[in-house]
Amino acid sequence: MSIQIPIAEGLFSWPAAKPALLASRCKRCGIAAFPVASSCMACSWQDVEIEELPTRGTLWTWTVQQFMPKKPYRSDETHETFTPYGVGYLELPGGVRVEGRLTENDPEKLYIGMQMDVVFEPFRTEDNGDEVINFFFRPVQ
Amino acid sequence: MDVAIVGIGIHPFGRTPARTGLQQGAYAARLALQDAGVEWRDIQFAFGGSASAGSADALVNELGLTGIPFINVANGCATGGSSLISAYNAIKSGQYDIGMVTGFDKHDRGAFNADPKELGIGEWYGEVGMMMTTQFFAMKIQKYMHDYSISHDTLAKVAEKAFINGSKNPNAWRTEPITVDEIINSIMVNNPLTKFMFCSPAEGGVALILCRADHAKRYTDAPVYLKGATMKSRRFGSFEVFAPSQALQQVDGPTVDASKAAFEMAGVDPKDMAVLQLQDTEVGAEIMHMAENGFCEDGEQEALIQQGATHIGGSMPVNTDGGCLANGEPIGASGLRQVYENVLQLRGQAGGHQVPGDPKLAYTHVYGAPGISAVTILQR
Ligand SMILES: [Zn+2]
C-alpha cells in the first residue's frame, strides 16, 4: 500500500492536520531561518527554537524554469513529459523569504506582490508506490 | 612594495577539441613567460585554479619540474581573483620577487549542474529543481526590473553589445554579432532571460606573471600595477545564489563590499576608471553589477545602456572583450581573462576592441556561488 512521505525530514510538519514549513529562530537575535539550522546564520548563536512559518505570504520575485534540469533533479518526468515550472521567493511575514516551486507556470499570471499560500502536494512517486510530498506556493484562490 | 603585472598570456576561449584544459593552461603560461621575457625556471611560486580540467599544479608536468610551491585555488567563479590576491600578498609580503597566476578550464556543454551537498544544502533542494544558478540570476533581475524599471530591450542590448565586442576580439568564442530581435526571440530559458542572454560553460586558459614593482622594468617597458585586489564573501541578509531562504532585511551583497574595499585600497573613485570588466554570466548581472560596483545609481542603467554608454567608445565601456557572454565561462580562467583584457587595454594593445583616450585605470569584477566576489583595480 502506498503512503505519503515528505521529501525531506524536518522541512515541514508532516503528517499534520495543518502542515506548515518549519523554521529555526535564534533565541539571541530573533532571526528565523529555513530550513531549520542548528545555529544562527546571523550571529552564530547555537540556541535556537523550532517554529511553524505562516502559510500565506507575498511573492517577492519569480521565474519559470523552461527546460528540464539535469541531475540532481529527480521527478517522474522525462524530457517528453517535462512541464515548465515556476520558482519564486515567498515572503512569509515575521519569518523569512522561502524559495519554492510555484503551482503556476504561466508568466502572464505571475507578478511580484501577489498573495500565495504554502501547500503540500505530491511531487513524485517512488518505485514502491510511495508518494513524495513537497511544498509549493499556490496563488490565493 | 607595489606589485606589477609584467607578462600576460591567453589561450583562445571557446571550444578546442585538440587540447586538454591543462594544455590550454600551459599554452597560456608559455605566452605569459615569453611576454615577460623570462623562463619557467625564473618563476618562484605559482597560484592556479581549474574547476573541471584537473589540478592546476599538474601544469608543472607540462612546464617543467622546478620545485616551486604551486598552490591550487578553488573559489568557483572567483578562483582567478583569489589566485591573484594570493600572489599579490606573496609578493607584497616580501617573500617572493616574481610568480605566476594561472587559470584554465574545460567544461561539458550545457548548464553547470551543482551538487547541493557540496554547499551544505539538503538534497531535496536539487531534487525539486532549484539547484540552478540560472534561476537565481533570472529572479534577481526580475526583481530589479520591477523595482528600477529596466526594460526587456535593455536586457537584449547588453547581449548585442557583448557579441559586437566579441566580433572584434580574436580570442573570443562568439564572434558573430546577433541582433536585438534575435536575442529577445531566442528560446526562453528562465523568464525574463532568453538563451542568448546567458553565457555558456566553455574552455580557455590565462596566465599572468607578477613581480615586485621595483623589478618591473627588467621585464617590460609597460608594467601594469595591481593597485587594488579584494575578495569578499556574503554577509547575512544579502540575496545570493543557492539560498533556500533569505532574510527579510536585505543588506548589500559581496560585490558592493569587495568594490568599496578595492576603491579604498587603491585610493581612487569609480569615475576614474576608463574601462570596466564586470561579471556578465547573463545580461541582468552586467546591469546590476554596474550599480553594485558604484558606476551608477540603481535604475540609471536603462538610460546609460540605451545611449550606448557601455560600448567601446562610450563613457563607461563594459566588457570590451565580449565578456562571459561572448567568451563563455571556463570557471578557472574567467576572472583572469578580465585582467588579461585590462592589461591589453592599459598597454594600448587591444586592437579592434581598444578603448580610445589612453586609459590609465581599469577595473575587473567577478561574482560566483555561493555568494563571493573579487575585484581588481589596475593602473598603468
Ligand atoms: Zn542570532
Side-chain angles (χ1 to χ4, degrees):
Chain A
M1 204 187 114
S2 76
I3 54 166
Q4 293 192 320
I5 55 170
I7 191 157
E9 285 298 329
L11 211 54
F12 43 84
S13 47
W14 192 271
K18 287 185 178 171
L21 296 173
L22 297 174
S24 51
R25 190 177 291 276
C26 175
K27 286 189 179 177
R28 179 161 76 174
C29 74
I31 292 289
F34 172 84
V36 168
S38 59
S39 63
C40 173
M41 251 203 275
C43 78
S44 187
W45 199 245
Q46 288 185 292
D47 193 7
V48 299
E49 56 193 346
I50 294 172
E51 67 178 39
E52 294 195 336
L53 287 168
T55 55
R56 178 166 291 186
T58 309
L59 189 62
W60 190 75
T61 188
W62 60 274
T63 185
V64 177
Q65 178 66 32
Q66 298 285 0
F67 64 91
M68 186 161 156
K70 294 193 279 195
K71 274 202 273 193
Y73 188 58
R74 198 174 148 216
S75 67
D76 293 329
E77 298 157 297
T78 64
H79 282 281
E80 288 68 40
T81 64
F82 174 75
T83 310
Y85 57 89
V87 174
Y89 278 90
L90 193 65
E91 183 161 324
L92 299 170
V96 286
R97 292 183 195 126
V98 175
E99 185 182 12
R101 282 181 59 141
L102 313 177
T103 59
E104 179 61 68
N105 70 356
D106 180 354
E108 300 300 319
K109 292 181 180 158
L110 292 166
Y111 60 93
I112 288 169
M114 70 191 291
Q115 295 291 295
M116 291 189 142
D117 288 322
V118 184
V119 297
F120 300 85
E121 293 176 357
F123 171 63
R124 67 163 186 262
T125 305
E126 302 285 46
D127 291 341
N128 64 4
D130 289 355
E131 277 189 320
V132 175
I133 304 298
N134 185 35
F135 65 95
F136 296 83
F137 305 146
R138 186 180 66 198
V140 169
Q141 290 161 341
Chain B
M1 177 63 59
D2 266 348
V3 174
I5 299 172
V6 293
I8 59 173
I10 193 166
H11 183 281
F13 278 39
R15 297 269 172 219
T16 310
R19 287 198 187 99
T20 65
L22 192 72
Q23 287 168 338
Q24 296 181 38
Y27 178 101
R30 289 191 187 281
L31 285 180
L33 292 167
Q34 194 184 333
D35 187 44
V38 295
E39 290 197 46
W40 174 240
R41 63 174 179 227
D42 300 322
I43 298 299
Q44 298 169 352
F45 72 94
F47 286 91
S50 149
S52 309
S55 294
D57 66 342
L59 267 185
V60 296
N61 294 330
E62 298 274 341
L63 297 174
L65 307 180
T66 59
I68 62 162
F70 194 128
I71 297 175
N72 292 324
V73 178
N75 248 160
C77 299
T79 294
S82 297
S83 297
L84 196 57
I85 289 165
S86 304
Y88 174 87
N89 288 327
I91 293 170
K92 187 109 177 159
S93 71
Q95 192 177 7
Y96 299 110
D97 297 330
I98 186 166
M100 178 184 280
V101 169
T102 179
F104 55 87
D105 244 315
K106 190 174 180 104
H107 303 292
D108 295 334
R109 283 157 207 275
F112 293 112
N113 50 344
D115 181 358
K117 272 182 304 195
E118 280 183 19
L119 293 162
I121 303 170
E123 291 188 38
W124 65 274
Y125 189 77
E127 289 179 13
V128 304
M130 300 200 295
M131 199 74 198
M132 304 284 293
T133 54
T134 57
Q135 289 173 4
F136 164 73
F137 291 125
M139 287 193 281
K140 191 176 173 196
I141 190 63
Q142 182 93 280
K143 174 72 175 162
Y144 198 84
M145 291 167 80
H146 171 268
D147 289 352
Y148 299 108
S149 302
I150 305 293
S151 67
H152 289 266
D153 187 68
T154 291
L155 296 186
K157 281 203 157 64
V158 172
E160 180 196 35
K161 184 249 316 163
F163 298 123
I164 289 171
N165 291 355
S167 73
K168 297 170 180 169
N169 173 9
N171 290 314
W173 182 17
R174 313 262 185 220
T175 53
E176 292 294 323
I178 303 177
T179 66
V180 164
D181 271 357
E182 285 175 290
I183 292 161
I184 285 188
N185 294 316
S186 62
I187 296 168
M188 186 61 78
V189 175
N190 284 117
N191 307 62
L193 301 172
T194 64
K195 182 184 165 197
F196 288 141
M197 295 182 183
F198 281 99
C199 83
S200 305
E203 304 170 15
V206 178
L208 310 170
I209 309 295
L210 281 76
C211 75
R212 41 189 290 177
D214 61 344
H215 290 184
K217 288 280 165 81
R218 297 181 191 174
Y219 306 111
T220 177
D221 296 334
V224 167
Y225 301 96
L226 192 54
K227 301 300 286 186
T230 57
M231 189 263 180
K232 295 280 186 184
S233 64
R234 65 202 185 283
R235 285 183 287 136
F236 180 75
S238 65
F239 178 33
E240 305 301 338
V241 63
F242 300 148
S245 74
Q246 42 155 333
L248 296 182
Q249 293 293 325
Q250 208 176 334
V251 304
D252 287 334
T255 292
V256 174
D257 294 346
S259 175
K260 281 182 180 159
F263 282 121
E264 195 170 309
M265 183 175 171
V268 293
D269 288 323
K271 63 173 165 39
D272 301 325
M273 298 297 121
V275 54
L276 319 174
Q277 317 299 333
L278 307 177
Q279 180 92 348
D280 61 333
T281 31
E282 39 71 44
V283 295
E286 178 171 319
I287 292 168
M288 294 181 287
H289 289 152
M290 287 168 65
E292 290 180 19
N293 286 288
F295 296 107
C296 67
E297 294 297 321
D298 287 319
E300 287 180 354
Q301 300 97 324
E302 178 70 19
L304 286 167
I305 291 165
Q306 289 291 337
Q307 290 158 10
T310 59
H311 276 265
I312 294 167
S315 59
M316 53 166 81
V318 178
N319 295 329
T320 45
D321 66 351
C324 290
L325 288 165
N327 286 280
E329 197 185 19
I331 290 180
S334 204
L336 297 179
R337 170 186 52 74
Q338 298 178 325
V339 175
Y340 177 93
E341 168 67 6
N342 276 355
V343 172
L344 278 188
Q345 292 285 348
L346 294 175
R347 287 177 177 177
Q349 294 175 345
H353 51 115
Q354 177 69 44
V355 304
D358 200 17
K360 290 192 172 51
L361 281 157
Y363 187 93
T364 73
H365 156 263
V366 292
Y367 170 84
I372 49 177
S373 188
V375 166
T376 73
I377 293 173
L378 301 187
Q379 182 183 315
R380 177 158 58 82

